[in-house]
Amino acid sequence: MAAALLLTGAAVAAGAPAGVAATRPATAAAGCDSAQRAVAESLGVLVTRHGIPGAAAEFVDPRCGRREAARGVADLGTGRPMRAGDRLRIGSVSKTFTATVVVQLAAEGRIGLDSPVEHYLPGLIRGNGHDGRTTTVRQLLQHTSGLPDHMDALADVPVEQWRYRHFDAHELISMALRLPRPGGSWHYSTTNTLLAGLIVEKVTGRGIEAEVTRRIIHPLGLHDTYWPGDQTHIRGAHSRSYSALLPAPGPVDGTEWNMTLGGAGGALVSSPADMNRFHGALFGGRLLSARWLAEMTRTVPADPDRLWPGARYGLGLIATPLPCGGWWWGHAGTVPGGHRALGAVGPGGRTVALALNRVPATDRAEQDFRAVVDAALCAPDSSNGRDGTNPSKETP
């Protein structure tokens, strides 16, 4: 999808090896202290060098618990400090929630990952070179379907014409199918996830919002995570967001937005704490068995122009190499209103979740945003062995 409108991109819950907690508690705590300082410094770079109003992160280490860091302000009008506990729009991190439900249904024998989309949604993908009879559910979740992104259709439309309006998933899919077919074997498209959501509704009789809530949000106690529907405000304590898309000089408040345009692939509201709980539960075996998590972590190379160099994509999951060795798994998200989020789990079970209230405007700023993840997961005394999954492998 167009960069300006992007809605992006072993048992993790296990503790330290036997004896570590008893013999090295000071070392473990020192490692977490070091990570906390490194994360705070990285967040400071985003605020002071790149003009992000507010940046916050929470990371969780199995050995020494939960740590937070924040820099800047959550609200330019009041000067309220940014907090890692604030809610935000997480954009395409929503894709991992939706993909998890699809894979759960596959584990139950109700969806075939390699079944054609036509089997569930007859006649919906037809024309302009697209055919649901040759497009599989796996290809939707992996962004190898060759389908365009409906967000590209909005790129040249004045924002105020669509900022507050309701979009139906079928309407957005129709918009996408009228676009030229993208080139290449991998093309990031939120339209893929809208279709996956409709497949969930077809086989369960309940919308994707209800299934994600029933299967993930409620069981994990994700109290900050919800689907906003047509509500344009964010409930509860939250950071404001500042959009570069709105026609005015300087940062413009873009917090109020109707996110039905993202739907199953980009509408969720959450918090760094909830993102950490979700990724920890997913890779800790609470949501999927090892066999089906292996399906989610079968990857293909991603287009670096749509994500970033070195990234690979599984089923609703991004894999990215860490400078200290191993990979982090998770997803990033951006919404037009200006929030930027990322949730990741790294080797050794440490998780990190980030929140910005303005989207990085340059490639260097985006690199420094991802560098916060490296700071959290590669701090001294963090485990830098591989996490048991190899993103370069095409099969589990």
Side-chain angles (χ1 to χ4, degrees):
M1 102 188 20
L5 300 182
L6 191 63
L7 291 170
T8 59
V12 167
V20 169
T23 60
R24 291 177 30 188
T27 304
C32 291
D33 291 343
S34 176
Q36 189 170 18
R37 289 191 296 269
V39 168
E41 291 173 3
S42 295
L43 296 174
V45 169
L46 293 169
V47 172
T48 59
R49 182 183 300 171
H50 300 296
I52 304 297
E58 182 199 81
F59 70 92
V60 182
D61 188 286
R63 300 164 300 172
C64 46
R66 189 180 311 276
R67 302 293 182 95
E68 296 181 359
R71 291 290 185 271
V73 298
D75 188 327
L76 287 171
T78 66
R80 176 169 58 87
M82 191 75 170
R83 297 188 317 119
D86 286 345
R87 294 175 179 176
L88 75 157
R89 302 189 193 278
I90 63 171
S92 283
V93 182
S94 309
K95 289 179 171 64
T96 312
F97 285 76
T98 295
T100 299
V101 169
V102 173
V103 178
Q104 285 179 336
L105 290 166
E108 295 167 13
R110 302 170 71 182
I111 290 178
L113 293 178
D114 295 306
S115 296
V117 176
E118 181 80 7
H119 177 73
Y120 306 100
L121 305 172
L124 185 57
I125 304 179
R126 291 291 178 86
N128 203 18
H130 307 294
D131 191 340
R133 294 169 296 187
T134 58
T135 303
T136 67
V137 176
R138 186 187 301 276
Q139 289 173 327
L140 295 180
L141 298 180
Q142 206 170 50
H143 299 297
T144 54
S145 68
L147 291 171
D149 194 324
H150 65 269
M151 293 298 295
D152 291 341
L154 296 172
D156 297 324
V157 180
V159 172
E160 294 299 341
Q161 292 186 19
W162 50 271
R163 176 179 176 180
Y164 297 106
R165 64 159 291 195
H166 171 85
F167 286 94
D168 175 80
H170 288 85
E171 176 188 8
L172 295 170
I173 293 164
S174 179
M175 289 167 52
L177 295 180
R178 291 194 294 267
L179 295 171
R181 186 177 179 89
S185 59
W186 190 89
H187 183 79
Y188 188 89
S189 170
T190 296
T191 307
N192 285 320
T193 316
L194 296 184
L195 286 158
L198 290 179
I199 291 172
V200 169
E201 182 174 359
K202 180 73 171 183
V203 302
T204 66
R206 291 178 290 268
I208 184 62
E209 296 86 355
E211 285 297 290
V212 167
T213 301
R214 185 174 74 89
R215 291 169 173 267
I216 299 175
I217 295 174
H218 285 169
L220 297 183
L222 306 183
H223 301 300
D224 294 323
T225 305
Y226 71 94
W227 298 97
D230 282 314
Q231 288 183 344
T232 60
H233 66 281
I234 300 175
R235 304 196 300 259
H238 60 275
S239 61
R240 309 301 295 178
S241 61
Y242 298 95
S243 177
L245 296 181
L246 298 170
V252 180
D253 194 313
T255 313
E256 311 297 321
W257 214 285
N258 188 318
M259 282 305 300
T260 54
L261 85 163
L268 275 173
V269 171
S270 190
S271 66
D274 275 7
M275 285 190 281
N276 277 329
R277 289 190 190 98
F278 168 63
H279 286 107
L282 176 60
F283 279 82
R286 292 182 61 189
L287 298 173
L288 292 169
S289 69
R291 175 203 166 181
W292 291 98
L293 183 59
E295 290 286 347
M296 288 193 76
T297 55
R298 290 173 61 179
T299 63
V300 295
D303 181 351
D305 292 333
R306 304 290 281 197
L307 282 182
W308 46 79
R312 298 182 66 88
Y313 206 91
L315 304 186
L317 281 171
I318 300 169
T320 302
L322 284 163
C324 55
W327 298 71
W328 66 254
W329 291 88
H331 217 290
T334 301
V335 295
H339 274 139
R340 180 93 166 107
L342 190 150
V345 59
R350 183 176 283 179
T351 61
V352 62
L354 314 181
L356 305 185
N357 58 4
R358 191 174 190 184
V359 178
T362 65
D363 288 342
R364 180 55 191 269
E366 177 65 21
Q367 291 170 15
D368 286 340
F369 171 65
R370 298 195 304 275
V372 182
V373 180
D374 297 340
L377 301 182
C378 287
D381 197 49
S382 66
S383 171
N384 63 358
R386 294 190 180 273
D387 61 0
T389 51
N390 183 353
S392 67
K393 295 182 71 175
E394 296 299 320
T395 57

